[in-house]
Amino acid sequence: MSPALVVVTLAAGGVAAVARYLLSVATARVSKAESFPWAVLIVNVVGSGLGGVVLGLARHAALSPDIQLIVLTGVCGGLTTFSTFSVETIQLLTHGRWRAACLSVGLNLVVGIGACTAGYLLAA
């Protein structure tokens, strides 16, 4: 792996992480902060869909391994977040919001994997 590829992957991840933060700020303004972790659901579904597209394109060698690394590791890695998803789930549970916690977990899994599958099928 070249130094330039490392730098580009890091930059892509950084930009995606900032985009995730800005979405969190925007959704907090629109809804109550503790109502539901919409920002995490959105970034996880978008990142999963993008990952599926990349996998689908890679299946036909339509993307170079370098582009795959930049998008999957950099963009998707910086955009999506398992740790925040986990923390917000625990926060919902500790506030007695069992339904919201279960809904968040279910939606992240089902819609995220569904988006990845749809992206893959569309690109393959």
Side-chain angles (χ1 to χ4, degrees):
M1 180 182 321
S2 73
L5 181 58
V6 170
V7 169
V8 171
T9 303
L10 287 170
V15 168
V18 169
R20 177 182 66 217
Y21 171 74
L22 294 174
L23 180 64
S24 294
V25 170
T27 57
R29 288 183 189 152
V30 174
S31 67
K32 293 180 183 176
E34 294 183 15
S35 65
F36 189 82
W38 290 109
V40 170
L41 177 62
I42 292 167
V43 297
N44 285 344
V45 169
V46 169
S48 295
L50 180 58
V53 169
V54 169
L55 291 176
L57 292 173
R59 181 175 181 212
H60 299 291
L63 290 178
S64 72
D66 290 351
I67 297 297
Q68 292 175 49
L69 177 70
I70 293 165
V71 176
L72 290 176
T73 302
V75 176
C76 292
L79 182 65
T80 62
T81 175
F82 190 79
S83 60
T84 303
F85 161 69
S86 300
V87 167
E88 289 181 344
T89 301
I90 296 301
Q91 287 174 330
L92 288 170
L93 291 171
T94 58
H95 287 97
R97 306 211 46 236
W98 292 87
R99 286 185 191 164
C102 290
L103 182 62
S104 176
V105 169
L107 287 174
N108 271 279
L109 290 173
V110 173
V111 179
I113 292 171
C116 187
T117 301
Y120 178 83
L121 293 174
L122 287 171

